[in-house]
């Protein structure tokens, strides 16, 4: 019975932690959106429209890459299985003079694994390139008049604080 009550206590504390972190994250997100809107409604709209699209495309691309990764791992395992089978039965292979046949089977499996690995590597490189392009493009969209406005808000805040600090000192 004590184990059950311990599990219930663990669940209760975990649930409280998840709820508090969720509320904190929600409050931070809402605060950021409001702050961004007060600085620039146009930039807020740009981020609000483009960010969900970028997340959806990135998630779909990531799912494809996970499938390709699993296929590559399975193919490498198949190639290693062919090699393991040939080596564990080396006497039988030699007795029937099948070394060349086993080498060609292994070569075919390795070539398939190589092709899948290259496809996966190209997909990962493309994903990283598109991610960098999207993030930097989003930042570049924030430049221009919005960047000037952000800079002016920051400078005004800094001037106000330095002026207040100067008044405190004198």
């Amino acid at each position: 019975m004590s184990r059950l009550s311990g599990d219930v206590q663990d669940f209760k504390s975990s649930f409280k932690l998840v709820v508090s972190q969720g509320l904190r994250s929600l409050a931070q997100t809402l605060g950021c959106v409001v702050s961004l809107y007060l600085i620039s409604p146009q930039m807020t709209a740009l981020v609000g429209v483009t960010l969900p699209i970028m997340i959806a495309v990135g998630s779909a691309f990531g799912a494809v890459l996970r499938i390709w990764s699993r296929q590559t791992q399975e193919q490498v395992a198949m190639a290693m299985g062919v090699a393991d089978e040939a080596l564990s039965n080396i006497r039988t292979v030699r007795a029937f003079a099948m070394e060349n046949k086993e080498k060609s089977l292994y070569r075919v499996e390795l070539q398939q694994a190589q092709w899948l690995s290259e496809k996966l590597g190209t997909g990962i490189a493309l994903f990283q390139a598109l991610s960098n392009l999207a993030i930097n493009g989003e930042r570049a969209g924030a430049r221009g008049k919005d960047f000037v406005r952000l800079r002016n808000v920051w400078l005004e805040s800094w001037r106000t604080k330095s002026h207040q600090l100067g008044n405190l000192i004198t």
Side-chain angles (χ1 to χ4, degrees):
M1 197 62 173
S2 65
R3 182 176 170 174
L4 180 62
S5 64
D7 288 345
V8 169
Q9 289 300 331
D10 287 343
F11 175 77
K12 285 168 63 175
S13 63
S14 296
F15 184 75
K16 288 177 187 176
L17 182 66
V18 167
V19 168
S20 68
Q21 286 178 343
L23 290 174
R24 186 178 314 119
S25 296
L26 181 65
Q28 285 177 336
T29 302
L30 289 175
C32 289
V33 169
V34 168
S35 296
L36 186 59
Y37 182 79
L38 292 175
I39 292 171
S40 172
Q42 294 86 8
M43 187 167 60
T44 305
L46 175 70
V47 170
V49 169
T50 59
L51 192 62
I53 294 169
M54 289 190 307
I55 290 171
V57 169
S59 296
F61 204 173
V64 170
L65 289 176
R66 281 189 294 278
I67 291 169
W68 288 357
S69 176
R70 193 169 24 261
Q71 289 173 344
T72 302
Q73 291 171 357
E74 289 171 0
Q75 184 60 38
V76 169
M78 285 175 56
M80 293 300 109
V82 168
D84 184 50
E85 184 180 338
L87 291 174
S88 64
N89 297 320
I90 192 71
R91 288 185 182 165
T92 307
V93 169
R94 282 196 173 167
F96 290 105
M98 298 294 288
E99 292 95 345
N100 290 334
K101 174 72 173 166
E102 289 296 325
K103 278 198 304 190
S104 69
L105 286 174
Y106 184 59
R107 186 179 311 115
V108 167
E109 296 297 329
L110 278 182
Q111 286 172 343
Q112 180 69 16
Q114 177 184 1
W115 181 80
L116 287 170
S117 296
E118 289 173 358
K119 181 172 101 170
L120 176 63
T122 303
I124 290 171
L126 185 62
F127 180 77
Q128 288 178 339
L130 290 175
S131 297
N132 289 336
L133 184 64
I135 290 169
N136 291 330
E138 188 80 23
R139 273 196 356 219
R143 292 192 176 146
K145 70 175 186 172
D146 289 333
F147 177 75
V148 171
R149 190 169 180 189
L150 284 170
R151 185 195 63 191
N152 291 342
V153 167
W154 181 81
L155 285 174
E156 186 60 35
S157 171
W158 182 78
R159 285 184 193 129
T160 303
K161 287 179 184 175
S162 64
H163 180 67
Q164 290 171 350
L165 182 63
N167 288 340
L168 286 175
I169 293 173
T170 57

